[in-house]
Amino acid sequence: MLIDFNFEDITFDTPNLNTISNWINFVITKENRFTGNITYIFCSDNYLLDINKKFLNHNYFTDVITFDYVENDLISGDIFISVDRIVENSKTFNVSRETEFLRVVIHGVLHLLGYNDLTDEDEKVIHQKEDLYISIFESEFKND
């Protein structure tokens, strides 16, 4: 099991990454799965736009792209996150940067766990899961 954090073409102050890893492991275990290899790549809008165009044929900015390498109950994947979107979304949704950081980090994991956001109902479920796990982070992990 390995959760790895990389910064491609940006710098960004994150919460304690060991604490974030522990939280991610907790979420995966709570969903009755096992942590495999998960790599986070934090990058700029333009870097993620290139990924979006190259691999998904989408020509727009996004906050997170998840590449799923899950095998059975072993959760593995690459999760690309735009730091520019974290900053913008925190302003748009009037939340702290840390909260928005947590939201996109766990959003990628939830995709690996099989949650989608393609329909309104799916989007409602994944947002409820995000809220649940962020509240658990804030009450049980934040002070680690």
Side-chain angles (χ1 to χ4, degrees), residues 59-98:
N59 189 15
Y60 54 82
F61 293 125
T62 188
D63 52 1
V64 59
I65 295 175
T66 304
F67 292 94
D68 183 332
Y69 311 130
V70 172
E71 293 183 19
N72 300 315
D73 288 338
L74 191 63
I75 303 303
S76 297
D78 292 334
I79 301 171
F80 289 80
I81 294 176
S82 168
V83 170
D84 296 326
R85 290 299 95 212
I86 290 173
V87 172
E88 286 302 311
N89 287 346
S90 70
K91 293 174 188 173
T92 300
F93 300 116
N94 197 29
V95 297
S96 70
R97 286 185 186 179
E98 179 181 278

Side-chain angles (χ1 to χ4, degrees), residues 29-120:
T29 301
K30 192 81 168 161
E31 295 282 331
N32 298 311
R33 306 285 179 66
F34 302 97
T35 304
N37 294 321
I38 300 172
T39 301
Y40 283 91
I41 302 94
F42 295 95
C43 57
S44 67
D45 266 349
N46 288 329
Y47 188 95
L48 196 54
L49 179 60
D50 288 342
I51 299 285
N52 212 4
K53 287 177 184 176
K54 183 176 181 180
F55 294 99
L56 302 175
N57 294 316
H58 297 157
N59 189 15
Y60 54 82
F61 293 125
T62 188
D63 52 1
V64 59
I65 295 175
T66 304
F67 292 94
D68 183 332
Y69 311 130
V70 172
E71 293 183 19
N72 300 315
D73 288 338
L74 191 63
I75 303 303
S76 297
D78 292 334
I79 301 171
F80 289 80
I81 294 176
S82 168
V83 170
D84 296 326
R85 290 299 95 212
I86 290 173
V87 172
E88 286 302 311
N89 287 346
S90 70
K91 293 174 188 173
T92 300
F93 300 116
N94 197 29
V95 297
S96 70
R97 286 185 186 179
E98 179 181 278
T99 298
E100 188 59 22
F101 171 87
L102 295 171
R103 183 169 306 284
V104 294
V105 163
I106 211 60
H107 187 88
V109 170
L110 290 168
H111 277 308
L112 295 176
L113 289 164
Y115 295 95
N116 292 305
D117 49 13
L118 301 175
T119 68
D120 288 344

